[in-house]
Amino acid sequence: MHKTASGHIAALITILIWGTTFISTKVLLRVFTPIEILFIRFVVGYLALWCVCPRRLWVAERRQEWYFAAAGLCGVTLYYLFENIALTYTLASNVGVIISIAPFFTAIFSCLFLHDRRPTARFFVGLLVAVAGICMISFGNEAALRINPLGDILAVVAAVIWAAFSTITKKISGFGYNTIQTTRRTFFYGLVFMLPVLAVMGFRVEPAQMYSASVILNLLFLGLGASALCFVTWNFAVKILGSVRTSVYIYMVPVITAVTSAVILHEKLGAAAVVGILLTLAGLFLSENRTIKKG
């Protein structure tokens, strides 16, 4: 029981931080491009994990290296790349809602590749309730949902990629290695796969751009908090709770974002958003409790 509780706490800490990263990203986008922010934050995260655990990871079998490479490709490079590109073609609210279906794909992958037992009807009811709540949060104070086929499809792809990352992470957790070391190895491959993207999209960061404490602090927040710490806590939660139970915490991201916007940016939190928050929390409760059939 204590071990399970630590998994839930780790997942909650992760989501609390990830739900506030948009503020730092908005500040940094005035100075850097999305791919530059992505590369810098994971370099900072990678170096931080070396400082915390300066021991090299020796894999027992060569084939295990492929899992680390796949995790880096999916969770670091492709997910953020597709999400950022989707944001250039469709509304941020669309992306937020579509990404929230990642637990559905995680459940499918978990059954297909990890041979987990299928989720109960309660899990899918929770999914529908949570998505309904997220729609109210995302569209309650704006214009109605606008379909942007290319951007929305890219967001669906991002959700599938994150589900694949969570499934691969669960597989890696079974190898028995230190979570910090496995996260660092994942970051390494993510950065390697990012290099061709940088070559195409360009990387023109100069020391002069680090002109203010605000830029430096936000980069450190994304690198140390949202990358180094959060990927370790997320991977730890997946190791304890499994990929499906951990993935439902993704529902909380729009909730944290909405509350943070109201508190820090003084954005109005309407009645629809409040109802959406309550629905999302109810969906999380339904999906998280007894998600897997016993027997």
Side-chain angles (χ1 to χ4, degrees):
M1 190 67 180
H2 174 72
K3 194 174 183 181
T4 301
S6 65
H8 286 294
I9 292 170
L12 185 59
I13 289 172
T14 305
I15 293 305
L16 284 172
I17 295 175
W18 278 347
T20 61
T21 55
F22 79 101
I23 297 175
S24 293
T25 302
K26 286 180 72 172
V27 171
L28 294 172
L29 282 172
R30 301 170 190 164
V31 183
F32 306 106
T33 65
I35 190 64
E36 289 170 346
I37 295 171
L38 185 60
F39 187 75
I40 293 171
R41 66 178 277 188
F42 278 101
V43 166
V44 172
Y46 179 73
L47 295 175
L49 293 178
W50 263 113
C51 293
V52 173
C53 184
R55 298 192 305 275
R56 183 176 176 181
L57 174 63
W58 298 95
V59 295
E61 301 178 35
R62 183 178 293 273
R63 67 179 181 84
Q64 292 178 351
E65 204 71 55
W66 291 102
Y67 287 99
F68 289 110
L73 177 64
C74 293
V76 176
T77 307
L78 292 182
Y79 170 74
Y80 286 101
L81 189 61
F82 274 91
E83 183 182 63
N84 288 343
I85 295 174
L87 286 169
T88 65
Y89 287 101
T90 190
L91 300 174
S93 50
N94 287 37
V95 175
V97 171
I98 293 170
I99 291 296
S100 70
I101 65 175
F104 171 73
F105 295 112
T106 304
I108 293 175
F109 290 164
S110 187
C111 292
L112 290 176
F113 302 112
L114 300 179
H115 307 295
D116 285 352
R117 286 167 289 186
R118 63 184 178 85
T120 64
R122 183 181 178 126
F123 171 83
F124 294 106
V125 170
L127 171 69
L128 293 175
V129 171
V131 171
I134 291 167
C135 284
M136 294 189 71
I137 295 170
S138 300
F139 308 120
N141 298 325
E142 306 181 355
L145 170 66
R146 288 182 298 187
I147 302 300
N148 297 273
L150 179 57
D152 294 343
I153 289 171
L154 290 172
V156 172
V157 173
V160 173
I161 289 170
W162 186 259
F165 168 70
S166 295
T167 305
I168 296 166
T169 298
K170 178 57 180 175
K171 180 69 175 180
I172 290 173
S173 70
F175 297 159
Y177 301 127
N178 178 279
T179 304
I180 294 176
Q181 291 176 306
T182 58
T183 304
R184 189 180 66 216
R185 184 64 62 91
T186 298
F187 279 17
F188 169 77
Y189 281 109
L191 289 168
V192 168
F193 287 120
M194 220 179 287
L195 293 176
V197 181
L198 289 172
V200 174
M201 302 183 71
F203 185 80
R204 290 174 287 275
V205 174
E206 300 175 359
Q209 291 174 284
M210 310 291 184
Y211 64 90
S212 70
S214 175
V215 170
I216 295 172
L217 289 174
N218 280 291
L219 283 174
L220 289 176
F221 173 71
L222 291 180
L224 300 179
S227 298
L229 174 62
C230 283
F231 271 79
V232 169
T233 52
W234 181 265
N235 291 346
F236 175 78
V238 169
K239 185 175 183 178
I240 301 299
L241 303 177
S243 56
V244 178
R245 294 183 70 189
T246 304
S247 69
V248 298
Y249 275 92
I250 290 173
Y251 302 151
M252 284 288 291
V253 172
V255 173
I256 302 301
T257 301
V259 173
T260 305
S261 297
V263 174
I264 298 178
L265 301 181
H266 306 293
E267 294 181 0
K268 186 178 178 181
L269 196 62
V274 173
V275 173
I277 288 172
L278 294 176
L279 281 175
T280 304
L281 293 175
L284 172 63
F285 175 79
L286 286 169
S287 292
E288 183 57 48
N289 284 269
R290 297 188 293 276
T291 56
I292 305 297
K293 283 186 174 180
K294 295 180 180 180

